Amino acid sequence: MSLTFHWFLPTNGDSRHVVGGGHGSPATASGRDRPPTVAYLSQIARAAEDLGFAGALTPTGAWCEDAWLTTAMVSQNTERLKFLVAFRPGFVSPTLAAQMASTFQRQSGGRLLLNVVTGGESHEQRAYGDFLDKDDRYRRTDEFLSVVRELWQGRTVDLEGDHLRVADARLTRLPDPVPEVYFGGSSPIAGRVAAKHVDVYLTWGEPPAAVAEKIAWIRRLAAEEGRTLRFGIRLHVITRDTAEQAWAEAHRLLDGFDQETVRSVQAGLARSESEGQRRMLALHGGGNRDALEIHPNLWAGIGLVRGGAGTALVGSHAEVAERVKEYHALGIDEFVLSGYPHLEEAYWFGEGVLPRLRAEGLWVHPFRAEAGQASSPQVPLAAVAGR
């Protein structure tokens, strides 16, 4: 099976520096360098589509623009790129969410993927009127996905759950195709929800040994449910013609981290209830700048100022391709990637790494393969690399 690559739409703003935010922390000032306008996000999306990324992830939370509305607008400026829309199931009813997904499929030509984000942080959830604790948020997600899955199959649903209640719920128009559901979570209850409901389990970019343990854990839980899942990983990338150039870029980003910002972000993230966030923080060991390469070509520097995904693959195109192959050997088939700035970094990866994977038979351009012909990049790398 060909590897699948997704890119990222920075709906919290973009920059030549790392834009922080996530897990209850606000976007940093650098996010104002390139505001997340529809025009700019569409430029990134069109580049990703042409380079061969199958989809683009949009985040969710108070720190960024709304994912549903933004992707609905950007989708009109692209043709085949899918949108991995992050949403929180506690904020809308399952019937409305199922209807929204169905509408998105019809209006976009079947280009919706759903990234279910159970909760974020309790203080942020309360700002949206959600006062459940973490475990109950996962139990509600279980009920939510049960209803949505039934509705998408054309069934009428009645449910009196512990957290959700619907009566005589049904859709008059079904989604075609049914959106695939992506989901991440490292706590025991998160694993059980994933095993029951999702198509793709996502992990943040931990070292390969830790990722292998996660995959084995979820596979076992899914087998108990009589199901099999695919696996994906969320990483940043800094890839250049040589390793020296890539690490020079990583060090440039690191030099741009304001120490007071690092201290403030780390203090906030240390209070996180997320098991995945706790694991991310443990990787950089409190910010020792001389110990941020935690596995060959795996750098934990991003996590100093950004919540959520905090690691990057750093190296030459050949080295980054080898790390992709290393994760693939563990069972990872989908890669959700990003880089600063997102427009330029999409070209570095798309023109530097993807051709190497294609030459080894590991990747096929998803859109050119359909058309049976090649196309030229809309914007050459030389035109954007200096921006």
Side-chain angles (χ1 to χ4, degrees):
M1 182 175 69
S2 175
L3 295 176
T4 299
F5 293 91
H6 306 278
W7 198 239
F8 185 84
L9 293 183
T11 57
N12 57 327
D14 202 7
S15 176
R16 291 178 57 82
H17 303 283
V18 175
V19 180
H23 274 264
S25 59
T28 51
S30 55
R32 295 192 290 270
D33 293 350
R34 298 186 190 178
T37 63
V38 171
Y40 179 63
L41 296 175
S42 296
Q43 189 177 7
I44 295 171
R46 287 193 299 268
E49 182 175 69
D50 192 82
L51 289 163
F53 293 95
L57 172 67
T58 47
T60 183
W63 59 298
C64 57
E65 299 287 356
D66 177 75
W68 283 104
L69 292 173
T70 301
T71 55
M73 288 184 275
V74 173
S75 71
Q76 302 306 295
N77 297 320
T78 56
E79 295 178 357
R80 288 166 289 188
L81 187 75
K82 295 182 179 180
F83 295 91
L84 182 50
V85 176
F87 82 105
R88 299 183 184 181
F91 293 171
V92 298
S93 79
T95 307
L96 178 57
Q99 182 184 20
M100 290 166 66
S102 183
T103 297
F104 199 114
Q105 289 297 64
R106 285 190 299 280
Q107 302 296 347
S108 70
R111 293 191 285 142
L112 175 67
L113 306 169
L114 288 178
N115 179 28
V116 174
V117 179
T118 290
E121 306 302 327
S122 288
H123 71 277
E124 186 180 13
Q125 294 292 121
R126 289 193 291 269
Y128 286 93
D130 179 15
F131 288 82
L132 294 181
D133 62 24
K134 176 184 173 182
D135 282 359
D136 276 335
R137 291 198 294 267
Y138 276 107
R139 295 184 184 100
R140 179 179 58 196
T141 295
D142 185 5
E143 295 178 2
F144 184 97
L145 289 175
S146 295
V147 173
V148 168
R149 290 288 200 186
E150 290 288 296
L151 291 171
W152 283 344
Q153 295 303 315
R155 302 185 180 103
T156 300
V157 181
D158 294 282
L159 173 71
E160 291 194 25
D162 293 331
H163 302 288
L164 298 174
R165 181 179 179 183
V166 298
D168 199 30
R170 63 186 297 271
L171 296 181
T172 58
R173 303 183 70 183
L174 302 181
D176 183 21
V178 170
E180 290 193 307
V181 175
Y182 291 64
F183 178 95
S186 298
S187 64
I189 193 169
R192 291 194 293 273
V193 172
K196 288 178 63 176
H197 295 290
V198 310
D199 299 295
V200 180
Y201 176 83
L202 290 175
T203 178
W204 285 331
E206 299 181 27
V211 171
E213 291 178 359
K214 270 192 174 181
I215 290 174
W217 168 53
I218 296 295
R219 276 182 174 158
R220 175 179 55 80
L221 293 176
E224 292 172 1
E225 298 288 339
R227 304 183 69 240
T228 58
L229 310 181
R230 302 198 312 279
F231 294 90
I233 192 167
R234 173 78 179 94
L235 288 157
H236 306 277
V237 286
I238 304 172
T239 177
R240 296 292 186 272
D241 295 335
T242 68
E244 291 76 15
Q245 291 170 342
W247 283 108
E249 177 64 10
H251 294 148
R252 184 193 70 80
L253 292 174
L254 187 62
D255 289 343
F257 293 175
D258 173 78
Q259 288 306 301
E260 177 56 29
T261 299
V262 172
R263 186 203 64 76
S264 175
V265 169
Q266 291 300 297
L269 295 177
R271 297 190 292 270
S272 172
E273 301 168 355
S274 166
E275 174 63 16
Q277 184 62 70
R278 185 195 65 76
R279 293 167 70 109
M280 281 286 103
L281 291 178
L283 293 179
H284 59 62
N288 182 351
R289 295 187 174 216
D290 297 322
L292 293 174
E293 188 178 7
I294 55 177
H295 181 78
N297 307 109
L298 184 64
W299 185 61
I302 302 293
L304 293 177
V305 295
R306 186 190 193 278
T311 53
L313 296 180
V314 181
S316 68
H317 304 314
E319 288 173 335
V320 171
E322 287 301 312
R323 296 288 78 76
V324 168
K325 290 160 59 179
E326 183 176 11
Y327 281 114
H328 177 47
L330 303 177
I332 298 292
D333 294 320
E334 303 202 18
F335 293 78
V336 183
L337 306 176
S338 57
Y340 299 97
H342 288 74
L343 180 60
E344 287 91 325
E345 207 65 50
Y347 278 99
W348 281 115
F349 187 88
E351 295 181 341
V353 178
L354 290 182
R356 286 170 166 78
L357 298 173
R358 181 179 57 207
E360 296 189 43
L362 294 173
W363 175 76
V364 175
H365 194 300
F367 309 130
R368 294 180 190 170
E370 292 174 4
Q373 59 183 7
S375 60
S376 299
Q378 296 177 13
V379 183
L381 179 58
V384 296
R387 288 186 52 176

